[in-house]
């Protein structure tokens, strides 16, 4: 009975592999699966006949598969396993007494003899040896050590922020995500323990949109932490104990048309004209998902009525369209030069009738509009007259900007005009400013320079991260630099005075062949410092078994793919890197003394398929805002179906690793080390901590003690790394997903690290409402 059932299983496997293999071969892919299917079918036939030669045929399959797998991908365990796992397990089954001893081995053979099973035994053992060997190394890893030399002994951190504090999203207006504190070091970081835990009470609700996320980086001023929550509560905590001081709820309500329900942070300001202790002498500015900016007294959370309209700035003012939920600010505004400067997020790919991407600077005390820079009308920055509106659907800035008050410049990361994947009819200004970093005059809003990172962007490659500012030493002296991470993997290192490159930028040919009426740029820029992945091939397709791997190889060849910047198509195109980004809003962290960076490059392929308007179904009653699935693009000739490139099991079709930590020298542009980061513990059916290297969204932080902290990955951990070599030094289990950026502060001589854990709806991590502080034991 066991042999008959085994023969049936082999028959089904052979039929599936054969049919799929023929499909793959017709598409131009590997012929292996046809041959493997044939071997399974022959083995099945011989098993039905109870012939011992079945073992010999299967031995040939095992050794042929082993050779083919090594030829395709070398000794990479995570790619060898799906190619040979099922085959080896079935080989072991054939070697059991229930099968081996039931086969006809000849009239004179002893039934206890291994006989014809020896070749199969040897080939299975050879495969196991290769598997063991492949587990001992990592061909994807880059090992090395960043220089520990301090290049700038008195680096410019930007802003007048005490070393013990964290006043802005990236600690200072420079966005370095660097703490000058040194108590925590590689030698003692593994002793960190929880100092306190606070729960906000703001949890994901049943009617919330999918991308309800907790991405806040707390601010710390003297003895108080300031945070916001996904539903835009502002909260002040005692930094030493985590006890709540005050809470403010702006009552933003729920709106299914919002694409994001999140808050990345609040902004802090101390009015030098007021005495400490006076009402609103220190303020917290809260952006909300219903397009308000509210000024709160930092001492008690009360609204400051002298700001704007009784304490509230209405950001929808001047917008050409104003459907609720289509425009709001998810990121903290910049505080610089007596101004509070606000960008905003628009719903991607909902409609061509989108709000403006205007950048506006207001008097931080009164809320009066000082200047506005609208990329659709870039030369006129004087305040918009009453009754007029800004340019609709101009490229927006949904991320965080940086500022250099000494140079008098604001640095803004810009996105695209909606629809992201359709470029026909874009204006000259849209073509100039989409997916770029712009420098604006802090006092007038006038454009000083623009550096575009993607030409004629058809892939939603917004510049997603806050530009990081530091001075970089070169052969001709120190240069005020800007480091700009991008979704496509380039990291631009520019002279922030002019936008000219410090590290070289090269224009390289790009794929052509956009849909009728559109076009592609003939070349695209590539920075000398980059984390661009290699072009995918069929060999890079992956699965937990040979079956879903085969399905991915078939799907890969069905899609249009010509490398990075393959245009969207009616056929369906593979976009790699995808719009999730190699880097996203979490950006990078830098050490301005050593002039090095720490980042978390992520690699996930996406698909993009255009749908003619006539084929777009009407919206359903339960339609909620999302950047995945069908993006309707109302008013445009095409909708677009977007999403990650995944197998029938919902796993990425491309082979891991999907996420790394990496360190690079900003003076030379050399990537010195790069290691897999994160496990599948929280994303697999069994809680197995296999260090595959998983994707993540969130940001890192570096301390002067030589330790970097990062959560972000889709397993629920906060981790510490040695900045010099990237080795993981410590990890702490989090009660929810850690898709925010950690920060560090000191109080009473003790250094703390704070992590907010609340999960991320789009990447599926566990929701929560935790703020956790860690410190060394007394």
């Amino acid at each position: 009975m066991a042999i008959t059932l085994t023969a049936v299983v082999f028959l089904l496997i052979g039929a599936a592999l054969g049919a799929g293999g023929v499909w793959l071969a017709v598409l131009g892919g590997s012929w292996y699966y046809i041959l493997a299917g044939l071997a399974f079918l022959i083995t099945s036939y011989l098993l039905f006949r109870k012939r011992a030669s079945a073992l010999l045929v299967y031995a040939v399959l095992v050794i042929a598969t082993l050779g083919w797998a090594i030829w395709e991908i070398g000794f990479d365990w995570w790619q060898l396993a799906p190619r040979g796992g099922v085959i080896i397990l079935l080989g072991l089954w054939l070697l059991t007494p229930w099968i081996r001893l039931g086969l006809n081995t000849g009239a004179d053979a002893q039934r206890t003899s291994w006989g014809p099973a020896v070749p199969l035994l040897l080939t299975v053992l050879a495969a196991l040896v290769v598997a063991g060997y492949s587990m001992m190394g990592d061909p994807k890893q880059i090992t090395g050590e960043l220089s520990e030399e301090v290049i700038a002994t008195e680096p410019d951190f930007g802003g007048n922020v005490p070393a013990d504090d964290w006043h802005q999203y990236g600690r200072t207006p420079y966005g370095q995500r660097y703490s000058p504190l040194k108590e925590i070091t590689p030698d003692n970081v593994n002793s960190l323990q929880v100092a306190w835990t606070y729960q906000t009470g703001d949890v994901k609700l049943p009617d919330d949109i999918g991308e309800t996320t907790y991405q806040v980086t707390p601010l710390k001023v003297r003895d108080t932490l300031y945070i916001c929550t996904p539903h835009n509560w502002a909260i002040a905590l005692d930094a030493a104990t985590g006890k709540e001081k005050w809470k403010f709820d702006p009552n933003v309500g729920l709106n299914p048309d919002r694409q994001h329900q999140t808050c990345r942070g609040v902004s802090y300001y101390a009015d030098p004209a007021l005495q400490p202790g006076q009402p609103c002498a220190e303020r917290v500015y809260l952006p909300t998902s219903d397009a308000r900016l509210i000024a709160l007294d930092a001492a008690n959370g009360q609204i400051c009525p002298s700001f704007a309209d009784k304490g509230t700035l209405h950001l929808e003012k001047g917008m050409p369209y104003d459907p609720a939920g289509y425009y709001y600010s998810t990121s903290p505004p910049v505080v610089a030069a007596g101004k509070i400067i606000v960008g905003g997020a628009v719903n991607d790919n909902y409609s061509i009738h989108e709000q403006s991407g205007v950048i506006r600077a207001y008097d931080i005390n009164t809320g009066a509009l000082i200047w506005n820079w609208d990329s659709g009308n870039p030369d006129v920055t004087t305040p918009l007259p009453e009754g007029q509106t800004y340019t609709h659907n101009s490229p927006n800035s949904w991320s965080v900007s940086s500022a250099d008050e000494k140079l008098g410049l604001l640095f803004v990361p810009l996105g695209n005009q909606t629809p992201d994947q359709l470029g026909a009819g874009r204006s000259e200004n849209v073509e100039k400013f989409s997916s770029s970093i712009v420098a604006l005059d802090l006092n007038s809003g006038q454009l000083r320079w623009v550096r575009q990172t993607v030409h004629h962007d058809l892939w939603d490659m917004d510049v997603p991260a806050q530009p990081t500012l530091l001075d970089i030493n070169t052969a001709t002296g120190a240069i005020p630099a800007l480091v700009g991470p991008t979704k496509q993997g380039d990291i631009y290192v520019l002279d922030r005075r002019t936008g000219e490159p410090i590290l070289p930028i090269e224009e390289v040919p790009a794929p052509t062949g956009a849909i009728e009426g559109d076009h592609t740029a003939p070349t695209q820029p590539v920075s000398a410092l980059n984390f661009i992945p290699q072009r995918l091939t069929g060999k890079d397709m992956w699965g937990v078994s040979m079956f879903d791997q085969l399905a991915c190889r078939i799907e890969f060849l069905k899609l249009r793919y010509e490398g990075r910047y393959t245009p969207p198509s009616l056929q369906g195109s593979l976009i790699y890197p995808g719009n999730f980004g190699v880097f996203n809003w979490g950006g990078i962290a830098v050490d301005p003394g050593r002039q090095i960076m720490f980042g978390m490059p992520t690699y996930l392929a996406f698909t993009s398929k255009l749908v003619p308007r006539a084929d777009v179904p009407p919206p359903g009653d339960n339609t909620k805002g999302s950047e995945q699935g069908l993006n309707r693009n109302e008013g445009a000739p095409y909708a677009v179906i977007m999403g990650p490139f995944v197998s029938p099991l919902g796993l990425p079709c491309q082979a891991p690793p999907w996420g790394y930590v990496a360190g690079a020298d900003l003076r030379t542009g050399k990537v010195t080390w790069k290691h897999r980061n994160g496990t599948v513990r929280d994303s697999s059916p069994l809680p197995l901590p296999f260090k595959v290297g998983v994707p993540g969204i969130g940001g890192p932080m570096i301390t002067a003690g030589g330790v970097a902290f990062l959560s972000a990955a889709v397993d629920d951990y906060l981790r510490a790394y040695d900045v010099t070599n990237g080795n993981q030094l410590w990890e702490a289990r989090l009660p929810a997903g850690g898709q925010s950026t950690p920060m560090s502060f000191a109080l009473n001589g003790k250094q703390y690290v704070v992590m907010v854990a609340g999960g991320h709806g789009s990447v599926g991590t566990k929701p929560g409402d935790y703020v956790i502080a860690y410190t060394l034991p007394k």
Side-chain angles (χ1 to χ4, degrees):
M1 178 60 73
I3 294 176
T4 301
L5 290 176
T6 302
V8 170
V9 170
F10 274 54
L11 175 64
L12 295 174
I13 291 174
L17 291 179
V22 169
W23 192 0
L24 181 64
V26 169
L27 292 170
S30 172
W31 282 62
Y32 163 79
Y33 296 91
I34 296 176
L35 300 175
L38 183 60
F40 268 100
L41 292 174
I42 294 172
T43 304
S44 173
Y45 170 77
L46 294 172
L47 287 173
F48 273 119
R49 299 295 300 272
K50 294 185 170 55
R51 297 287 182 84
S53 53
L55 304 181
L56 183 59
V57 172
Y58 201 77
V60 172
L61 173 62
V62 171
I63 199 66
T65 299
L66 180 61
W68 167 76
I70 294 172
W71 170 77
E72 274 212 324
I73 44 83
F75 295 97
D76 183 340
W77 157 251
W78 291 106
Q79 293 205 59
L80 288 174
R83 285 167 167 82
V86 169
I87 288 175
I88 297 307
L89 289 173
L90 290 174
L92 291 169
W93 171 249
L94 292 178
L95 291 171
T96 62
W98 307 286
I99 306 299
R100 175 172 54 86
L101 298 182
L103 299 177
N104 178 12
T105 57
D108 299 327
Q110 297 183 13
R111 296 185 63 81
T112 57
S113 170
W114 279 84
V118 171
L120 178 57
L121 175 63
L122 293 177
T123 56
V124 168
L125 289 175
L128 293 174
V129 168
V130 168
Y133 173 77
S134 68
M135 290 179 184
M136 297 170 61
D138 185 355
K140 305 293 186 182
Q141 180 173 256
I142 299 173
T143 58
E145 291 194 353
L146 290 164
S147 172
E148 296 189 67
E149 179 186 3
V150 177
I151 309 299
T153 55
E154 295 183 4
D156 184 2
F157 299 129
N160 186 25
V161 179
D164 290 355
D165 282 4
W166 193 286
H167 283 192
Q168 296 203 23
Y169 176 75
R171 202 183 85 85
T172 76
Y174 279 15
Q176 295 171 348
R177 294 169 191 77
Y178 175 83
S179 170
L181 301 174
K182 299 180 179 179
E183 182 188 5
I184 298 171
T185 69
D187 293 329
N188 63 24
V189 67
N190 62 358
S191 299
L192 282 178
Q193 58 188 28
V194 174
W196 52 259
T197 299
Y198 169 80
Q199 290 186 256
T200 68
D202 185 0
V203 296
K204 186 174 182 178
L205 303 172
D207 292 331
D208 268 324
I209 60 170
E211 191 159 313
T212 298
T213 65
Y214 208 175
Q215 301 173 341
V216 66
T217 297
L219 307 185
K220 187 265 186 181
V221 182
R222 296 188 302 280
D223 64 352
T224 305
L225 294 180
Y226 299 100
I227 63 172
C228 57
T229 71
H231 294 95
N232 306 132
W233 303 354
I235 301 173
L237 303 175
D238 185 291
T241 65
K243 292 184 178 179
E244 184 180 305
K245 290 187 172 183
W246 56 258
K247 179 188 294 183
F248 172 81
D249 181 359
N251 297 307
V252 297
L254 301 180
N255 187 329
D257 285 332
R258 290 177 194 151
Q259 217 161 41
H260 309 271
Q261 186 68 57
T262 192
C263 184
R264 295 190 183 96
V266 296
S267 302
Y268 166 80
Y269 170 70
D271 188 343
L274 297 178
Q275 294 296 318
Q278 286 186 263
C280 295
E282 296 177 73
R283 298 171 208 156
V284 168
Y285 292 84
L286 172 69
T288 69
S289 55
D290 59 356
R292 290 179 286 163
L293 181 65
I294 304 172
L296 304 173
D297 190 329
N300 53 31
Q302 298 297 309
I303 291 178
C304 296
S306 62
F307 178 75
D309 179 14
K310 298 178 182 179
T312 297
L313 192 63
H314 298 281
L315 299 176
E316 73 276 10
K317 186 176 182 180
M319 290 297 171
Y321 306 103
D322 188 29
Y326 276 52
Y327 177 86
Y328 40 90
S329 181
T330 60
S331 297
V334 171
V335 172
K339 304 171 185 66
I340 188 160
I341 305 168
V342 187
V346 301
N347 283 350
D348 267 351
N349 300 339
Y350 263 38
S351 167
I352 63 171
H353 300 114
E354 294 280 0
Q355 291 86 341
S356 176
V358 62
I359 310 300
R360 290 172 285 185
Y362 300 90
D363 184 293
I364 197 164
N365 294 306
T366 67
L369 181 63
I370 297 175
W371 56 256
N372 36 232
W373 183 77
D374 177 359
S375 64
N377 187 21
D379 297 327
V380 180
T381 61
T382 51
L384 185 74
E386 286 291 333
Q388 294 188 22
T389 59
Y390 299 110
T391 306
H392 83 280
N393 203 9
S394 53
N396 67 306
S397 181
W398 54 267
S399 189
V400 185
S401 297
S402 303
D404 184 338
E405 292 189 78
K406 288 185 292 187
L407 291 178
L409 292 176
L410 174 76
F411 304 96
V412 182
L414 284 179
N416 295 301
Q417 180 186 80
T418 287
D420 293 308
Q421 287 74 28
L422 301 175
R426 289 178 180 172
S427 70
E428 181 180 344
N429 283 326
V430 170
E431 294 286 21
K432 179 178 180 179
F433 293 112
S434 285
S435 301
S436 67
I437 301 169
V438 297
L440 305 178
D441 188 292
L442 265 175
N443 292 316
S444 67
Q446 286 291 318
L447 178 70
R448 292 293 173 251
W449 56 258
V450 56
R451 171 63 62 177
Q452 191 166 63
T453 67
V454 183
H455 307 318
H456 194 67
D457 187 353
L458 300 174
W459 306 274
D460 189 20
M461 293 298 176
D462 306 337
V463 179
Q466 180 182 26
T468 297
L469 313 182
L470 77 159
D471 295 344
I472 292 181
N473 287 45
T474 69
T476 58
I479 296 179
L482 176 149
V483 182
T486 65
K487 285 185 177 182
Q488 60 271 25
D490 293 290
I491 293 186
Y492 291 91
V493 183
L494 310 173
D495 184 328
R496 66 177 180 267
R497 298 168 297 187
T498 64
E500 292 303 307
I502 296 173
L503 294 179
I505 299 170
E506 179 185 7
E507 291 284 337
V508 300
T512 59
I515 60 170
E516 184 178 355
D518 205 342
H519 69 278
T520 60
T523 65
Q524 294 289 355
V526 174
S527 173
L529 174 55
N530 69 74
F531 292 86
I532 300 170
Q534 292 185 346
R535 179 171 172 169
L536 293 173
T537 70
K539 298 176 183 179
D540 298 307
M541 296 303 101
W542 190 78
V544 295
S545 72
M546 61 196 308
F547 307 110
D548 50 323
Q549 183 184 51
L550 172 58
C552 284
R553 292 182 87 137
I554 292 170
E555 193 62 28
F556 173 74
L557 291 177
K558 288 168 58 181
L559 294 166
R560 179 181 177 185
Y561 180 62
E562 295 151 30
R564 197 167 74 139
Y565 300 124
T566 299
S569 64
L570 294 168
Q571 168 189 348
S573 296
L574 186 66
I575 311 301
Y576 185 63
N579 67 333
F580 188 83
V582 176
F583 297 96
N584 208 291
W585 58 261
I588 62 169
V590 304
D591 183 327
R594 295 168 64 182
Q595 297 176 14
I596 58 176
M597 62 148 280
F598 178 99
M600 183 194 64
T602 292
Y603 300 102
L604 284 176
F606 272 59
T607 60
S608 177
K609 183 176 182 179
L610 300 178
V611 182
R613 176 59 51 198
D615 298 333
V616 179
D621 294 337
N622 296 321
T623 300
K624 291 186 179 181
S626 176
E627 291 182 273
Q628 296 184 19
L630 178 67
N631 285 222
R632 303 189 61 81
N633 294 340
E634 298 291 357
Y638 297 94
V640 60
I641 298 174
M642 297 169 52
F645 181 39
V646 295
S647 74
L649 299 180
L651 298 172
C653 264
Q654 95 240 23
W658 307 299
Y660 294 87
V661 287
D665 188 319
L666 292 172
R667 293 185 299 155
T668 65
K670 179 183 177 183
V671 177
T672 305
W673 55 259
K674 189 177 177 184
H675 307 305
R676 295 175 191 255
N677 183 58
T679 72
V680 293
R681 170 169 178 169
D682 296 301
S683 52
S684 62
L686 298 175
L688 301 173
F690 293 141
K691 193 172 183 179
V692 176
V694 296
I697 189 164
M701 179 264 295
I702 291 178
T703 69
V707 181
F709 290 89
L710 173 72
S711 182
V714 294
D715 58 351
D716 301 337
Y717 287 95
L718 172 63
R719 295 183 170 95
Y721 308 82
D722 189 318
V723 175
T724 299
N725 54 34
N727 291 338
Q728 184 178 313
L729 303 169
W730 169 84
E731 67 181 17
R733 185 74 172 152
L734 296 173
Q739 279 66 58
S740 61
T741 301
M743 54 82 73
S744 186
F745 69 87
L747 193 64
N748 301 322
K750 181 177 286 293
Q751 184 179 356
Y752 294 77
V753 173
V754 177
M755 183 68 209
V756 173
H760 193 292
S762 290
V763 298
T765 52
K766 182 180 178 181
D769 63 341
Y770 298 87
V771 184
I772 307 171
Y774 302 86
T775 192
L776 295 172
K778 296 180 180 179

